[in-house]
Amino acid sequence: MKNIKYSSDIKTILEAVSNLTNTFDLPLYRNTAEKNRKEMGDQLVKTFKLVTEEIWKINNNGKSPNLYYLFRYWDKKQFQPLSSVGFERMFEEKGKSLDYESPESFGSPGLGKYLNRGNEVMFFEKPQYEKDVRNKEILFDICKVYSLCFVPLIAKGEKIGYVSIYTTDEIPFPSQIQESLKTILGGLGKGFADALLLNEKFYALTDVITQIFEGKDRFTKIHSIIVENLCEEWSQKMKLPEHETEQLLLASRLHDIGKMLIPAQILLSPKRYEEDSEEKKLIKRHPQSAYDILEPFSRDSGWLDILYRHHANAKDDRKRKGYPPEAIITSIFCNQNESCKNIGLLIGLLQLADYLEATLADRPYRYGAAPEDVLEELKKDYSHYENICPGLVRDIIGDVNDDSKKGECIINLTNIKGKINTGYKDAGIKTNKL
């Protein structure tokens, strides 16, 4: 979340909140959907805290009451507590422990049903609650909550959660504060809900993709998993930043989904197609197809840039026939990429893992290449990887151009070949040529 200094007027807060809506960028990496949801919820609650307390100070001579925050997410049949700020302290101050596994800790069904009727930011005071709901409520009876603000999170007409802001001080939310919070928190809540819904859709999409791969071309699915595992091993060896590692792993996992659009008789054929054939042109389109499928579901272009360029040339390549032709990897592109400072390295890692898996792996119709032969090909293609990221091949395989290091390089390639074929074996796929 961006740092925001306390402001002296509502206009500045509105501008700050406008900027904060841009911080709901989706991680969409190797996290589970639940972990991403939790991290985004934590960010939302912290933002609500900053905005609410600042607005209250502006309208109350620099003072704010004790405020407690809770984000609840709609999970299948009920609202589940997900993120909070100070909520546990509110219970502790009243000598009661908070049990996140117990629905009673978060109030009776009466309050939840009452709040769930509204789709706008709502405010309640204890006298109003007792009159309208007529139900014992732990928050009010035990924790002595006096007033609360309820902010629904609605995306595409669906309520996916809400944030409640409580105060135990006998101070209602003043009318001028209510109007400001309705505008600001309401807008923030909608932006968050839209981002979270996009997040959930992305995970649903990747699940569908996995199932399609399983049915159409299991080899491509296992290939992608093995490429991802190699990238993960290498990124840990290089101690890459977590953010960049996760972008690399997401790109490696999904890099070949564009092949879903290639007819099976072409995709699964052992035949080598001529460069100018229609079949080869269709195969070479798969990075663009993958980008087109996934781009609408991501606000973060880093992993998409990696995926899109996993067959691309560096600017100075002359012999290598990379594709798409528009995806040339230039120093300007690498230096100006805000999502990944080491994007050249990440692209190179994916390209190297993809190449080694494709050449070293056994297939039903052929044996994989011998490590000695792959070493010779790496020597020929050495300048390509150097143009993308200097030292990449040396760091992963060894100094392929130094004959005295040949044995070391062969050992490393042999180990990689073993890991690749073990991956197919573990997946129950017979790969050796019959």
Side-chain angles (χ1 to χ4, degrees):
M1 188 176 70
K2 297 179 180 178
N3 292 325
I4 296 181
K5 296 180 179 180
Y6 282 136
S7 50
S8 58
D9 55 61
I10 294 296
K11 180 181 178 181
T12 304
I13 293 179
L14 287 169
E15 291 174 351
V17 171
S18 177
N19 292 331
L20 276 169
T21 59
N22 296 325
T23 68
F24 294 135
D25 290 336
L26 311 186
L28 297 182
Y29 310 132
R30 293 199 59 176
N31 287 348
T32 62
E34 291 76 15
K35 183 177 179 182
N36 279 343
R37 188 186 302 147
K38 177 67 167 63
E39 290 179 354
M40 293 173 71
D42 290 345
Q43 184 177 0
L44 177 73
V45 172
K46 290 176 183 177
T47 303
F48 272 34
K49 177 180 181 345
L50 184 150
V51 172
T52 304
E53 294 179 5
E54 181 67 3
I55 289 177
W56 207 305
K57 289 177 182 179
I58 289 172
N59 290 276
N60 192 37
N61 298 319
K63 298 179 180 179
S64 171
N66 293 316
L67 296 169
Y68 312 93
Y69 306 81
L70 175 66
F71 165 45
R72 299 181 77 172
Y73 175 78
W74 178 255
D75 184 14
K76 297 179 181 179
K77 295 183 179 181
Q78 60 185 343
F79 286 104
Q80 300 283 0
L82 197 64
S83 301
S84 65
V85 174
F87 197 70
E88 296 90 341
R89 190 176 74 251
M90 181 174 70
F91 279 75
E92 292 170 358
E93 290 172 350
K94 304 302 179 183
K96 184 171 180 63
S97 61
L98 175 61
D99 181 5
Y100 274 91
E101 301 299 324
S102 172
E104 289 77 15
S105 291
F106 298 91
S108 66
L111 179 61
K113 292 180 180 179
Y114 184 61
L115 295 179
N116 198 34
R117 291 186 301 193
N119 289 334
E120 303 292 336
V121 178
M122 304 164 68
F123 296 87
F124 299 89
E125 296 177 32
K126 183 177 179 181
Q128 177 186 2
Y129 166 78
E130 291 180 332
K131 175 183 178 182
D132 292 339
V133 179
R134 302 177 186 277
N135 197 348
K136 285 282 186 179
E137 171 57 52
I138 194 169
L139 291 174
F140 288 82
D141 293 346
I142 302 297
C143 293
K144 307 300 181 184
V145 168
Y146 184 81
S147 59
L148 68 88
C149 171
F150 168 75
V151 184
L153 307 175
I154 300 172
K156 306 295 184 182
E158 177 184 358
K159 187 175 295 181
I160 64 172
Y162 64 82
V163 176
S164 298
I165 305 173
Y166 305 90
T167 177
T168 56
D169 297 349
E170 293 190 7
I171 304 174
F173 285 80
S175 58
Q176 68 271 25
I177 291 178
Q178 289 189 22
E179 292 305 311
S180 297
L181 291 180
K182 281 183 179 180
T183 301
I184 299 173
L185 299 187
L188 261 179
K190 184 181 186 307
F192 173 83
D194 288 341
L196 189 59
L197 184 62
L198 188 61
N199 192 21
E200 305 295 327
K201 284 184 176 179
F202 180 86
Y203 279 98
L205 175 69
T206 56
D207 287 342
V208 170
I209 289 170
T210 300
Q211 295 302 318
I212 293 174
F213 261 151
E214 186 76 28
K216 182 175 182 179
D217 179 15
R218 199 174 179 205
F219 270 100
T220 300
K221 175 191 172 184
I222 303 304
H223 158 80
S224 298
I225 293 173
I226 294 172
V227 168
E228 180 184 1
N229 290 340
L230 289 174
C231 287
E232 181 174 25
E233 178 185 334
W234 297 343
S235 63
Q236 290 176 352
K237 176 182 177 182
M238 293 182 165
K239 298 181 180 179
L240 295 179
E242 181 180 3
H243 175 70
E244 294 186 348
T245 296
E246 298 207 343
Q247 295 209 41
L248 170 63
L249 299 183
L250 181 61
S252 60
R253 187 194 318 166
L254 300 176
H255 73 280
D256 272 346
I257 71 161
K259 290 182 177 179
M260 289 191 304
L261 305 183
I262 302 174
Q265 64 268 28
I266 296 175
L267 180 62
L268 303 179
S269 173
K271 179 181 178 181
R272 286 185 174 273
Y273 295 105
E274 297 293 331
E275 282 296 323
D276 59 351
S277 67
E278 291 302 315
E279 292 88 349
K280 192 67 172 180
K281 291 177 182 178
L282 190 59
I283 292 172
K284 283 188 170 184
R285 182 167 172 75
H286 77 269
Q288 182 68 61
S289 298
Y291 186 94
D292 293 341
I293 291 170
L294 295 167
E295 192 274 335
F297 294 89
S298 178
R299 294 182 177 182
D300 190 338
S301 64
W303 66 275
L304 279 175
D305 287 333
I306 300 167
L307 174 151
Y308 180 59
R309 289 168 173 80
H310 76 275
H311 283 294
N313 277 355
K315 181 180 179 182
D316 296 329
D317 286 346
R318 294 290 183 266
K319 299 179 181 179
R320 197 171 185 274
K321 297 179 181 179
Y323 55 91
E326 303 83 11
I328 295 176
I329 305 166
T330 65
S331 58
I332 294 177
F333 162 76
C334 292
N335 294 334
Q336 294 183 352
N337 193 287
E338 296 182 358
S339 297
C340 292
K341 300 302 181 183
N342 294 315
I343 195 163
L345 169 61
L346 304 183
I347 294 172
L349 287 171
L350 177 53
Q351 287 198 5
L352 184 59
D354 193 34
Y355 167 73
L356 292 178
E357 199 288 330
T359 54
L360 289 169
D362 293 334
R363 292 286 187 264
Y365 51 84
R366 62 149 174 85
Y367 286 113
E372 293 83 358
D373 295 334
V374 172
L375 178 60
E376 293 304 312
E377 291 300 316
L378 284 174
K379 289 181 180 180
K380 297 176 184 178
D381 229 8
Y382 185 77
S383 61
H384 164 72
Y385 293 105
E386 283 295 294
N387 285 332
I388 295 178
C389 181
L392 172 64
V393 174
R394 183 184 65 250
D395 291 340
I396 301 300
I397 307 300
D399 192 343
V400 299
N401 292 314
D402 185 346
D403 289 340
S404 67
K405 302 290 185 181
K406 181 177 179 179
E408 176 186 332
C409 295
I410 295 297
I411 290 174
N412 289 334
L413 287 169
T414 301
N415 289 337
I416 292 173
K417 182 180 178 71
K419 292 174 183 176
I420 291 171
N421 287 329
T422 297
Y424 283 103
K425 182 179 179 181
D426 290 346
I429 295 180
K430 186 175 181 180
T431 57
N432 288 340
K433 183 179 178 182
L434 299 177

